[in-house]
Amino acid sequence: MPETVGVRQAQAQRTRGGVLAAAAAVFVDQGVQAPIRDIAERAGVGIGTIYRHFPTRADLVTAVYRHQIDTCAALAPRLLADSASPFTALTRWVDAFVEFLVTKHGLGAALGSGDAGLENLHSLMLDTLVPACATLLDACAAADELSPSITAYTLMRAIGNLCITGPDYEQADAKHMVAILLAGCRGKA
């Protein structure tokens, strides 16, 4: 009997993972307000399956972004260990952070929507990503590659502002401006 329970739990985890992957892809294409039926279709499940795992849209949005935020945070120590210098690690991490920001159509609107279920998402981003960035900045300062006066929150906020895309300012523009920002930070302002 325990094997049956274990098999069902494993299947539920695979289904949940498939729904999260499908939702992440649909969110990139259509934004966080995409119809649930589009996510269900992409995941190969029924709408009821999505609601069984994620009773509200806010639950689904939070779960998708929690996974992506955790992945971005976990990248920082790996890059620090694998890169030639702390600044190289920071640059690669910022590239991943920018990719996260510019592909999340509607995330900013969702964060400002007043939906009580999404209130924790902004805190999650800050509580998880600011310390990851701070670790990289501390290593850069210790290696005399950046001024210790640059704080993680301020840098991430500046990057976030540069990543607000629109009709005349696209993902490539955002990446270019962030690269200029990082180069300026290297000037030890």
Side-chain angles (χ1 to χ4, degrees):
M1 186 76 88
E3 279 185 7
T4 305
V5 171
V7 169
R8 279 187 292 191
Q9 287 176 336
Q11 178 59 38
Q13 277 302 107
R14 281 192 298 277
T15 299
R16 187 176 197 281
V19 168
L20 287 174
V26 170
F27 290 169
V28 167
D29 293 341
Q30 301 178 38
V32 296
Q33 294 304 322
I36 296 296
R37 71 178 171 279
D38 291 358
I39 296 167
E41 184 178 310
R42 189 165 195 145
V45 300
I47 292 174
T49 299
I50 293 186
Y51 284 115
R52 190 169 38 258
H53 288 276
F54 307 99
T56 68
R57 177 178 298 276
D59 293 334
L60 179 59
V61 170
T62 299
V64 167
Y65 292 126
R66 175 182 298 274
H67 174 72
Q68 293 177 336
I69 289 166
D70 289 344
T71 299
C72 189
L75 186 59
R78 283 199 325 262
L79 289 173
L80 204 49
D82 296 342
S83 297
S85 73
F87 187 78
T88 300
L90 175 66
T91 301
R92 291 176 61 203
W93 187 84
V94 165
D95 288 345
F97 180 58
V98 167
E99 186 68 22
F100 169 77
L101 292 175
V102 297
T103 60
K104 304 309 170 231
H105 305 294
L107 179 58
L111 289 172
S113 70
D115 185 330
L118 295 173
E119 287 176 0
N120 65 342
L121 198 51
H122 187 258
S123 295
L124 174 67
M125 287 177 65
L126 292 178
D127 294 346
T128 307
L129 294 179
V130 169
C133 184
T135 299
L136 293 163
L137 289 175
D138 290 346
C140 287
D144 200 31
E145 294 182 313
L146 288 178
S147 168
S149 67
I150 299 171
T151 67
Y153 178 77
T154 302
L155 178 62
M156 290 177 65
R157 186 164 180 174
I159 291 167
N161 287 337
L162 290 172
C163 289
I164 300 170
T165 58
D168 295 329
Y169 184 79
E170 298 176 358
Q171 184 172 347
D173 299 314
K175 288 182 176 186
H176 178 72
M177 292 308 298
V178 169
I180 291 171
L181 172 67
L182 283 180
C185 289
R186 252 201 132 152
K188 300 179 185 176

